[in-house]
Amino acid sequence: MKIYIETLGCPKNETDSLQLEGLLEDHGHRVVGEPDDAEVFVVNTCGFINDAKKESIDQILAFAAYKTGKEILVVTGCLSQRYGEDLTKAIPEIDILLGVNDYQALPQMLQEYEKGKVNVACHPAPSEYSEWGHRTNSSPGYSAYLKIAEGCNNTCAYCVIPSIRGPYLSRKKENILEEAGDLAAKGCKELILVAQDVTAYGQDLYGEYSLTGLLEALCQIDGIRWIRLMYCYEDRITEELISVMAREEKICHYIDIPLQHVSDRVLRSMNRRSTNASIRNTIECLRRAMPDIVIRSTLITGFPGETKEEFEEMLAFVKEMELERLGVFAYSKEEGTPAALMKEQVHPRTKNARRDRIMEAQRLISLKNNQKKIGATLEILVETREEDGTYIGRSRYDAPDIDFSVLFTAANEELEAGDLVDVKITDAFDYDLTGEFVKHTERK
Ligand code: SF4
């Protein structure tokens, strides 16, 4: 069959879709790039906050409306896992519904599919990490998300992910290295490590935290030039991890640490293990070991009970610490979480106003930090070329889709997506930089 996969949500969902593509091709199906050419539509959903749920339902309804009668509509991912059969009752156009632990059932379900009979598979998490599929392609070939674990053992009071994805299950090191080796052999230069909590890697499987060992092994893979860490939990950023990051040339001086808040009382209420003091200490240690490090974080405004003073404390922290990259979200009340039952829910206007105040402060910090880059030469991974000949790429300091771009000219040069080049920065804006091509550091 010809199958079209629509992927929503986070990079972990993206890796699941790429694995599903490999699995379907192994069973003789063909994954197509356009829904027009497809006999089967797969919507790989996200379901962790209201906005994401709404987007997923809109997409499902769009594909339901798109059906001409013979196509099969398959819904997978976190929304399926969270709501199961309630979703098929609410949207009867869904033909097959698969939870996050049931992707591997799709080939058989397509084979056995009978029109009008709804098929649902929604099992709880297995007891160990399931290697249910392998990616056959990784677009773009030069950069890839690499999932190292599934689930989460942290129990943040606002978060439904543990109830959707189950307990933390580390992937076997040899399987991660094998996939990374395959990707490198196909021209991948950047590996982006993802999990719900990358820093918890190994504890459940090897009885000890093993991220540093995994990183050292990944650094041995020829062809890989950049290794990036996403979703790190603050209190597991150890001296050992910091020294491996500082020592290994391939590991980008970039780290994503979702902090969520900085007030001790709010952090306790969120059931987060960090404290204001531990956060400050971790940032200091990172900056001491790698003065050029870019720290990305996310904060939540309007968590139930957050007072004006606690918000002001967070705003003052943002202005003082000047993190290089920051995303801010207004608290989203999610049924099934402890926070949803908390009394002092903050008014949406207040939540959003607080979010906007921090984002405005961050915009000025971002511009100031970017201006410090003028005159510097940065290694850039080329991604696209505009019609006017301008190239767009990313530096070691920027993750795809969520961070900044570098726009640059390269007169008399024909560059390709995936080339690594040096660019001299000539100007800076709130979020992006501009520059001029200097030389190749590695052709595609
Ligand atoms: S660390 Fe917290 S916020 Fe992140 S997935 Fe786990 S429970 Fe959710």
Side-chain angles (χ1 to χ4, degrees), residues 152-156 158-162 196-197 233 260 272:
C152 190
N153 289 346
N154 304 319
T155 48
C156 305
Y158 49 81
C159 184
V160 290
I161 293 175
Q196 306 301 348
D197 176 354
Y233 202 109
Q260 314 303 15
R272 305 263 312 167

Side-chain angles (χ1 to χ4, degrees), residues 100-240:
V100 294
N101 305 306
D102 301 279
Y103 289 104
Q104 62 275 35
L106 187 53
Q108 177 127 7
M109 286 174 121
L110 288 173
Q111 206 172 331
E112 296 163 357
Y113 175 68
E114 288 166 43
K115 189 158 179 49
K117 188 168 149 259
V118 179
N119 295 281
V120 174
C122 220
H123 294 91
S127 56
E128 60 180 42
Y129 188 97
S130 164
E131 296 286 351
W132 54 266
H134 63 98
R135 61 167 99 191
T136 49
N137 104 39
S138 158
S139 64
Y142 53 81
S143 175
Y145 292 111
L146 184 61
K147 192 154 90 167
I148 67 170
E150 184 56 275
C152 190
N153 289 346
N154 304 319
T155 48
C156 305
Y158 49 81
C159 184
V160 290
I161 293 175
S163 66
I164 294 175
R165 294 270 170 174
Y168 196 90
L169 299 172
S170 296
R171 210 175 157 196
K172 289 199 177 93
K173 188 175 171 185
E174 57 271 27
N175 295 333
I176 298 170
L177 293 176
E178 187 190 338
E179 184 175 342
D182 290 350
L183 289 165
K186 291 182 186 136
C188 184
K189 300 204 174 122
E190 176 185 35
L191 288 178
I192 308 168
L193 273 55
V194 295
Q196 306 301 348
D197 176 354
V198 157
T199 40
Y201 179 73
Q203 177 64 26
D204 59 305
L205 187 59
Y206 304 119
E208 59 179 5
Y209 293 114
S210 323
L211 178 59
T212 49
L214 175 65
L215 285 170
E216 284 164 342
L218 288 168
C219 287
Q220 305 312 311
I221 299 176
D222 287 341
I224 296 298
R225 295 285 307 278
W226 294 1
I227 296 173
R228 188 179 303 283
L229 292 176
M230 308 297 292
Y231 309 102
C232 296
Y233 202 109
E234 183 270 317
D235 74 343
R236 293 210 186 108
I237 298 172
T238 59
E239 271 180 39
E240 196 197 359

